[in-house]
Amino acid sequence: MFLLRRVAVTPLSHWRQMRLAPQGVHLSTGTGRAHSHDPSLIDPEGDPRVRSAHREMTEKGGTRPLYLDAQSTTPLDPRVLDQMLPYLTSYYGNPHSRTHAYGWESEEAMEDARKEVADLIGADPKEIIFTSGATESNNISVKGVARFYKSKKNHVITTQTEHKCVLDSCRQLENEGFTVTYLPVNEKGRVSMEELDKAMTPNTALVSIMTVNNEIGVIQPMDEIGRLCRSKKVFFHTDAAQAVGKIPMDVNRMNIDLMSISGHKLYGPKGVGALYVRRRPRVRVEPIQSGGGQERGLRSGTVPTPLAVGLGAACKLSGQEMDYDTQHITRLGNKLVNTVTSSLPHVIFNGDPEHTYPGCVNLSFAYVEGESLLMALKDVALSSGSACTSASLEPSYVLRAIGADEDLAHSSIRFGIGRFTTDEEVDYTIERIISEVSRLREMSPLWEMFQDGIDIKSIQWTQH
């Protein structure tokens, strides 16, 4: 039997002492800003004015912005890269090749990674399916379960604040004849257990509710939802891309039947994810992709061994360091919220302070446009709460679902704090936020009217 030994990794203390940023980026000791001349700075789907401002800054030899957008993606942990490198160079066999050592060694690494993913969520390795990411896992779960049980049940329940891939999958199911209930959430972003119970019928096949919201960080009552679904014999799927590796997750304690996982949300590589599918009681899923029948026939295609190894390593590290990461991120998140809200008036915290992942902070700054604030903060990589594209400036549907006024939804900023975020970076961001919000408000006629005691909502605006 050919046995493969994992490569040795750099000690954890080494990385913590260095406070290492993403490869190629060096943090200064003063402001914590990162220095580079890489022009590829932000999401290409973001506001083009912000892209232009960042591009102009780097072309003139400016500094690369510091990174506070951990909900969008996280940097690859260097220790994860250590584990991946041998499978990008020396051990390149197809893990599904059963006739030679190249396949055996890759298969062994793949199965080790499968176990590392399973261990993090309390599952059996046989219940883990490798995918390309949470979007694919969500599509397989929502469409696959609904279609398999269509002859018996044709009702799906989800919430209005789910990720777009879940909402779009549900809309596609509606086009195929399914009935879908989109549950509202309360003003803090949590689903009502009473409304969920009332929405269930004998025809309900699946409930899909995300664990941690990607915009406002709200954590749903997973234990209660799982118990209710199990008592009604309804399958429970959760998009846990923002939760796995960050908060404790146990599929058996929470009665979760399907769970979507993303590698790049927990300091692993992009392009890989996983889907947990319960075996007992068995969940049947109709594949949405045809091919060679890999991954229990649920997801055909060659598993990319280096990416699977990276996901496994990231899950193992996250399990080992969850307590440390939680303390570190909670402290920085509290510092950001408390300092900003105590220094600036009329700042609204979006979400539920009692049930929110501390690394996702969503604040609305009244009388300030979120896009204007992002443009002013060229040296900090942030996201607006508005779902802005070059063609649309519609406010975030998540913020509208929790009852935020349109003007406040447009004025929101999401701060993403992660494992490698430093105190210096948070301090610098706080300083810049306070300064720029104050400056923009001084330029705002709405802020001036508010200070003069005018009720802006009572004004009837006219077009010319």
Side-chain angles (χ1 to χ4, degrees), residues 3 32 71 104 141 151 166 169 282 354 381 384 443:
L3 296 178
Q71 273 61 57
W104 302 335
S141 298
S151 61
V166 170
S169 294
R282 187 179 183 185
E354 299 299 320
S384 170
M443 298 168 57

Side-chain angles (χ1 to χ4, degrees), residues 213-423:
N213 187 269
N214 57 301
E215 283 199 36
I216 57 177
V218 169
I219 303 173
Q220 296 294 345
M222 301 301 291
D223 290 337
E224 297 173 50
I225 296 172
R227 281 196 298 270
L228 177 61
C229 290
R230 184 60 58 86
S231 69
K232 301 276 189 174
K233 296 183 179 180
V234 175
F235 293 126
F236 176 30
H237 163 255
T238 184
D239 174 1
Q242 299 287 349
V244 170
K246 300 175 183 179
I247 63 174
M249 298 292 294
D250 189 310
V251 293
N252 293 308
R253 176 174 58 83
M254 296 177 172
N255 291 305
I256 295 170
D257 298 303
L258 303 104
M259 177 190 287
S260 301
I261 301 171
S262 174
H264 73 102
K265 304 294 187 183
L266 66 153
Y267 313 95
K270 296 173 178 61
V272 68
L275 172 61
Y276 160 77
V277 182
R278 181 176 292 280
R279 287 167 61 90
R280 293 186 179 85
R282 187 179 183 185
V283 182
R284 304 297 297 272
V285 179
E286 181 178 303
I288 62 174
Q289 181 170 302
S290 302
Q294 293 90 342
E295 298 300 283
R296 288 170 49 193
L298 298 180
R299 203 280 184 179
S300 293
T302 300
V303 173
T305 307
L307 299 182
V309 167
L311 175 60
C315 287
K316 183 176 182 179
L317 284 170
S318 294
Q320 293 171 344
E321 301 191 5
M322 192 175 295
D323 291 341
Y324 173 86
D325 285 348
T326 299
Q327 294 174 12
H328 173 71
I329 292 169
T330 300
R331 180 176 59 81
L332 293 182
N334 289 340
K335 176 194 283 191
L336 175 66
V337 173
N338 294 336
T339 308
V340 170
T341 54
S342 63
S343 302
L344 290 170
H346 305 288
V347 177
I348 296 90
F349 180 91
N350 295 309
D352 187 341
E354 299 299 320
H355 303 95
T356 296
Y357 172 63
C360 182
V361 176
N362 193 300
L363 301 177
S364 289
F365 301 89
Y367 313 107
V368 173
E369 275 288 335
E371 289 74 34
S372 299
L373 185 54
L374 285 180
M375 291 177 67
L377 296 169
K378 296 188 296 289
D379 45 1
V380 184
L382 298 165
S383 290
S384 170
S386 300
C388 299
T389 66
S390 59
S392 173
L393 288 176
E394 289 298 315
S396 159
Y397 65 86
V398 173
L399 295 181
R400 295 308 303 270
I402 66 174
D405 292 335
E406 185 169 340
D407 55 342
L408 287 177
H410 272 302
S411 70
S412 67
I413 298 292
R414 184 185 67 183
F415 303 83
I417 299 170
R419 177 181 296 166
F420 297 114
T421 307
T422 66
D423 280 272

Side-chain angles (χ1 to χ4, degrees), residues 137-154:
S137 297
N138 287 337
N139 273 265
I140 294 173
S141 298
V142 175
K143 297 174 185 174
V145 170
R147 289 170 179 168
F148 188 91
Y149 293 95
K150 185 176 182 179
S151 61
K152 299 179 181 178
K153 299 180 176 182
N154 67 344

